[in-house]
């Protein structure tokens, strides 16, 4: 039985390489990725606790820069 290849692309910081599951291949892009703005959107009535954890982490990282 043949299966279709499942391919996806994602941009990760270099530090994420230590957390990649087996079977995932990371490759450095052949082009430069400059700084970019990041936005988080969520419904006021349905705030996932993960959003608060991610925003806290980003604030910590920003304060260290």
């Amino acid at each position: 039985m043949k299966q279709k290849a499942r391919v996806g692309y994602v941009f990760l910081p270099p530090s994420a390489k230590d957390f990649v599951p087996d079977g995932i291949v990371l490759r450095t892009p052949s082009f430069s990725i400059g700084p970019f703005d990041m936005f988080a959107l969520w419904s006021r009535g349905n705030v996932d606790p993960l959003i608060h954890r991610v925003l806290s982490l980003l604030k910590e990282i920003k304060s260290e820069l």
Side-chain angles (χ1 to χ4, degrees), residues 26-41:
L26 297 180
R27 293 190 177 135
T28 303
S30 59
F31 52 89
S32 176
I33 301 171
F36 59 91
D37 293 326
M38 182 182 295
F39 299 92
L41 303 174

Side-chain angles (χ1 to χ4, degrees), residues 3-52:
Q3 292 185 348
K4 292 182 180 180
R6 295 183 182 183
V7 178
Y9 299 92
V10 65
F11 293 103
L12 299 170
S15 59
K17 71 178 184 226
D18 298 331
F19 305 103
V20 176
D22 291 338
I24 303 296
V25 177
L26 297 180
R27 293 190 177 135
T28 303
S30 59
F31 52 89
S32 176
I33 301 171
F36 59 91
D37 293 326
M38 182 182 295
F39 299 92
L41 303 174
W42 61 91
S43 170
R44 286 185 184 186
N46 188 21
V47 179
D48 187 317
L50 179 61
I51 295 293
H52 292 292

